[in-house]
């Protein structure tokens, strides 16, 4: 299931995740990127939940859609339709609950906004699927209670938010290792200021991805 977190405040948007991809048989790999950026479109996003099914890489499809130069609402409508079908198939075939959670930060007219899209077992979670223009923070996946351990003062400063979110994701990895083992690998974090400038980090080190 993994873990990700997004926060929107008056000055910037930040989103981050781990990189573990867990399969139905309990095996996993740690090279699944779950946080992405598109500097040209001034957009960054992260997800948890169903990523590949019947050998179809759903995240590659979603990335291709989010990289289209069309309105974000149109892109999310298409993604919701795809993930409604795929999570319903998974649920009916396995009888196991399956989620897909997507957090998208986009800069619109020099102001950041957060969009949330959640689908569970073939049903769009309408109450959660919203656009936020004001301060908000949210986690998805497993051990979401660890968002309560965030130092919110540090999270309001663009220079300290990255190491603080990196710390929390690693704490979730440690907790996951004791139980479900679905969170691990590397931390991927993206930060976007109100000018739409994006910086990306892997394990707290600025890089490009």
């Amino acid at each position: 299931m993994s873990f990700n977190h997004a926060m929107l405040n008056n000055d910037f948007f930040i989103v981050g995740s781990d990189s573990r991809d867990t399969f139905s048989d309990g095996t996993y790999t740690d090279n699944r990127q779950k946080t992405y950026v598109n500097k040209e479109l001034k957009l960054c996003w992260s997800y948890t939940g169903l990523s590949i099914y019947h050998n179809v890489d759903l995240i590659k499809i979603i990335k291709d859609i989010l990289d289209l130069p069309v309105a974000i609402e149109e892109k999310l409508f298409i993604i919701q339709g795809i993930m409604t079908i795929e999570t319903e198939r998974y649920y009916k075939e396995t009888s196991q609950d399956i989620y897909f959670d997507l957090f998208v930060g986009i800069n619109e007219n020099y102001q950041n906004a957060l969009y949330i899209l959640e689908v569970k077992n073939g049903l769009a979670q309408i109450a959660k699927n919203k656009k936020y223009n004001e301060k908000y923070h949210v986690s998805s996946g497993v051990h979401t209670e660890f968002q309560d351990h965030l130092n919110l003062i540090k999270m309001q400063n663009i220079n300290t938010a990255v190491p603080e979110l990196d710390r929390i994701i690693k704490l979730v990895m440690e907790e996951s290792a004791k139980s479900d083992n679905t969170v691990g690998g590397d931390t991927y974090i993206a930060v976007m200021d109100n000018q739409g400038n994006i910086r990306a980090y892997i394990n707290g080190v600025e890089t490009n991805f």
Side-chain angles (χ1 to χ4, degrees), residues 1-3 18 20-28 34 141-146 171-184:
M1 186 63 176
S2 290
F3 173 87
D18 69 309
R20 178 160 293 177
D21 203 4
T22 307
F23 307 110
S24 57
D25 62 0
T27 61
Y28 61 84
K34 299 178 181 177
V142 297
H143 308 298
T144 56
E145 70 277 6
F146 272 78
L171 283 178
V172 175
M173 290 180 184
E174 292 176 6
E175 182 65 24
S176 178
K178 303 173 187 176
S179 53
D180 51 85
N181 216 31
T182 63
V183 186

Side-chain angles (χ1 to χ4, degrees), residues 33-206:
Q33 184 175 341
K34 299 178 181 177
T35 298
Y36 294 84
V37 305
N38 186 315
K39 293 183 179 180
E40 182 178 352
L41 295 181
K42 299 181 179 180
L43 178 149
C44 44
W45 56 279
S46 182
Y47 79 92
T48 58
L50 187 63
S51 60
I52 187 168
Y53 196 50
H54 288 305
N55 297 317
V56 176
D57 192 334
L58 299 168
I59 303 310
K60 183 182 184 305
I61 295 171
I62 288 169
K63 182 180 184 303
D64 288 344
I65 294 169
L66 286 171
D67 284 343
L68 292 172
V70 298
I72 184 65
E73 292 84 359
E74 294 181 39
K75 294 187 274 194
L76 292 176
F77 181 78
I78 295 169
I79 293 168
Q80 178 176 291
I82 292 170
M83 297 312 294
T84 296
I85 293 170
E86 294 302 320
T87 58
E88 182 179 30
R89 288 176 66 203
Y90 184 98
Y91 179 62
K92 287 182 175 179
E93 291 177 13
T94 68
S95 299
Q96 298 176 359
D97 287 337
I98 186 67
Y99 287 81
F100 175 78
D101 287 285
L102 179 67
F103 303 149
V104 181
I106 186 168
N107 189 269
E108 304 171 312
N109 299 315
Y110 300 104
Q111 180 61 52
N112 291 329
L114 165 64
Y115 288 81
I116 296 177
L117 172 64
E118 180 175 301
V119 180
K120 177 186 178 183
N121 299 342
L123 298 174
Q125 304 299 291
I126 302 301
K128 295 183 179 181
N129 295 349
K130 297 180 181 179
K131 174 185 178 182
Y132 295 86
N133 289 309
E134 299 178 347
K135 289 183 177 181
Y136 193 73
H137 70 107
V138 59
S139 297
S140 69
V142 297
H143 308 298
T144 56
E145 70 277 6
F146 272 78
Q147 72 175 0
D148 296 334
H149 295 272
L150 280 165
N151 183 319
L152 295 181
I153 294 176
K154 290 183 178 180
M155 289 297 291
Q156 298 306 315
N157 185 308
I158 199 166
N159 295 316
T160 55
V162 171
E164 178 61 12
L165 183 53
D166 183 79
R167 181 183 72 86
I168 292 300
I169 297 172
K170 287 175 178 172
L171 283 178
V172 175
M173 290 180 184
E174 292 176 6
E175 182 65 24
S176 178
K178 303 173 187 176
S179 53
D180 51 85
N181 216 31
T182 63
V183 186
D186 298 314
T187 64
Y188 281 72
I189 295 173
V191 181
M192 180 167 60
D193 66 25
N194 280 338
Q195 301 301 308
N197 301 307
I198 299 174
R199 289 183 287 172
Y201 302 80
I202 299 177
N203 295 322
V205 178
E206 188 169 0

